[in-house]
Amino acid sequence: MTSEDLVFDFERVRVHGVEVYEGTELDVRVVIAGMPRDVKDGFAYDRVPWGRFSHAYGSSEDVPGYLERLRSADPGVARHGLSLLAGSVFHQGTKGSVAPLTVPFLLRIAADPAGHERVNALGLVAALARRDDWGDGSRTGLLRVADADDEVRVDTKGYSQNWSVRAARDAIAADTHIPIALLDDPDPRVREAAAYVLAASSGRAREISAALHGRFRVEEVPRLRAGLILAIAQLAGEHRHEDAASFTRACWSDPARPPEVRVGPVPPAVADSRWQEH
């Protein structure tokens, strides 16, 4: 693919389908998979191909500036940076194709104890790594992360949101160590948001599930205990883990458990027909 080809062409997609870009440098999943650790750790924005992708307002060349604002020591500047970033890459619930490229940096921003928008940075990551539910309040829908392969979603520029969500989930999987560490953060809001992020990961599910179980055993905040159970259930549903499914079922059906542990939607089908929604 030549440099002239490194621009997403909606008309080409309209005629040939988004598959013409699958596996190329315009496939954001490929870019995420190839992003070096030193780029992420060093916030080396100049080594990230922002210009190949877009957000709700057009070119994504402004995204590094928003991320830097979010890192500001000034809480007002950081708050404004988050607002600009979220409004661009997650506009009215739609994920722009550039959105996954922000995930590695948002995770590192959230890991900085001196940061001012740590909880909201994690919240944005979690939102970018999940399908649009568009009001789906069903039992199964509440615990779904990704759309089925045959449920095609596109953003305002015609790019595949299925790819964008998958890439964001892959970005979490690549940096799982960060939100796992945040499960022990002194701020309960950070712990809660970290669990929500981990539940959306595309991989390392066993490791994540073990970390969520470990936090559940020592967590004393009722709201967080409920959230951890839901995170374990969501991860189990996405990765077909019957052991975790059995654990959540046991928690929800045990009258000896505290109320916050027993409240929650019934998980989707994993390997047991009793999980099916009727």
Side-chain angles (χ1 to χ4, degrees), residues 11-67:
E11 283 302 312
R12 187 181 183 199
V13 170
R14 188 179 64 81
V15 174
H16 302 287
V18 73
E19 292 76 17
V20 295
Y21 291 119
E22 187 167 6
T24 74
E25 293 173 281
L26 284 170
D27 184 336
V28 71
R29 299 168 299 180
V30 171
V31 177
I32 282 292
M35 190 180 292
R37 176 77 174 263
D38 66 306
V39 169
K40 299 184 284 187
D41 289 345
F43 290 87
Y45 302 128
D46 60 326
R47 292 170 59 190
V48 179
W50 306 102
R52 294 182 200 167
F53 304 97
S54 63
H55 55 56
Y57 299 106
S59 171
S60 298
E61 300 286 358
D62 50 7
V63 168
Y66 297 158
L67 288 167

Side-chain angles (χ1 to χ4, degrees), residues 191-246:
R191 300 199 299 273
E192 181 178 24
Y196 192 41
V197 166
L198 287 166
S201 176
S202 66
R204 300 171 69 178
R206 295 285 179 185
E207 177 185 354
I208 293 170
S209 185
L212 293 171
H213 277 81
R215 183 66 230 175
F216 178 76
R217 286 192 289 270
V218 300
E219 183 58 62
E220 297 181 351
V221 178
R223 175 188 172 98
L224 269 65
R225 288 171 61 79
L228 287 163
I229 289 291
L230 290 172
I232 291 168
Q234 189 167 54
L235 197 69
E238 196 68 27
H239 296 275
R240 308 290 180 179
H241 285 176
E242 178 56 25
D243 54 349
S246 299

Side-chain angles (χ1 to χ4, degrees), residues 244-255:
S246 299
F247 169 75
T248 53
R249 278 200 302 269
C251 286
W252 289 337
S253 62
D254 184 355

Side-chain angles (χ1 to χ4, degrees), residues 8 10 13 18 94-95 132 134 147 151-162 164:
F8 186 78
F10 175 72
V13 170
V18 73
T94 299
K95 292 90 171 169
D132 296 323
W134 299 117
D147 287 305
E151 295 179 19
V152 178
R153 312 280 185 176
V154 296
D155 65 16
T156 56
K157 311 300 180 183
Y159 197 88
S160 170
Q161 282 201 99
N162 304 65
S164 297

